[in-house]
């Protein structure tokens, strides 16, 4: 499950004294209750529209084994969530890759202009040393995407 938190604080004038610690409160909003094994999330303006998208990885579901350790999923997912309105209640989802990409345990995503073309790309923030291929996804338009690979 992915949950976004919105601050319930009211706007204060610039010359007001700072609020004491613990004065802020937050209200949870479910973005996607169906992403199995939601693991990491990062916010970033991928589309260049001054709005933050959520980039989220999901490991998948572990299989329970009676009397033994759980069996890990074969592959995970990476999805981008876009706010459909101004409130946090409505999101659209675009899968960057699904389990058919056979990427086990997709790690923490990062958002940066990796190829220096002026737009933001999605890539791993940390790369496990056991993998030889790094996959970076570049969103081209909406909802198109073009995977870039480097060995």
């Amino acid at each position: 499950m992915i949950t976004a938190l919105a601050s319930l604080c009211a706007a204060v004038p610039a010359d007001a004294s700072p609020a004491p610690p613990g004065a802020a409160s937050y209200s949870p909003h479910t973005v996607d209750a169906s992403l199995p094994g939601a693991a990491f999330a990062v916010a970033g303006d991928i589309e260049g529209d001054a709005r933050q998208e959520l980039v989220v990885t999901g490991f998948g579901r572990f299989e329970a084994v009676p009397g033994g350790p759980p069996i890990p999923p074969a592959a995970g997912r990476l999805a981008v969530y876009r706010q459909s309105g101004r409130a946090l209640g409505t999101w659209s989802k675009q899968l960057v890759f699904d389990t058919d990409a056979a990427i086990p345990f997709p790690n923490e995503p990062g958002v940066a202009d990796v190829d220096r073309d002026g737009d933001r790309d999605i890539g791993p923030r940390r790369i496990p040393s056991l993998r030889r291929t790094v996959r970076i996804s570049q969103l081209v338009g909406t909802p198109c995407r073009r995977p870039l690979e480097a060995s």
Side-chain angles (χ1 to χ4, degrees), residues 31-60:
V31 175
D32 185 355
S34 66
L35 184 69
F40 296 101
V42 64
D45 180 12
I46 298 168
E47 296 181 344
D49 59 359
R51 294 177 60 130
Q52 299 290 306
E53 286 79 38
L54 296 177
V55 180
V56 181
T57 61
F59 288 164

Side-chain angles (χ1 to χ4, degrees), residues 7 29 31 42 49 52 61-62 68 79 87 94 98 101 119 135 142 145 147:
S7 174
H29 297 270
V31 175
V42 64
D49 59 359
Q52 299 290 306
R61 289 188 174 84
F62 283 75
Q94 176 185 351
D98 204 352
D119 61 7
R135 292 187 180 165
T142 304
R145 60 190 179 272

Side-chain angles (χ1 to χ4, degrees), residues 2-98:
I2 304 162
T3 303
L5 298 175
S7 174
L8 297 178
C9 298
V12 293
D15 60 349
S17 60
S25 63
Y26 296 88
S27 175
H29 297 270
T30 299
V31 175
D32 185 355
S34 66
L35 184 69
F40 296 101
V42 64
D45 180 12
I46 298 168
E47 296 181 344
D49 59 359
R51 294 177 60 130
Q52 299 290 306
E53 286 79 38
L54 296 177
V55 180
V56 181
T57 61
F59 288 164
R61 289 188 174 84
F62 283 75
E63 184 181 331
V65 177
I71 298 172
R77 296 171 173 84
L78 179 95
V80 174
Y81 295 87
R82 294 174 179 84
Q83 272 186 279
S84 300
R86 292 194 46 81
L88 288 176
T90 309
W91 296 82
S92 63
K93 173 181 174 180
Q94 176 185 351
L95 281 176
V96 176
F97 62 80
D98 204 352

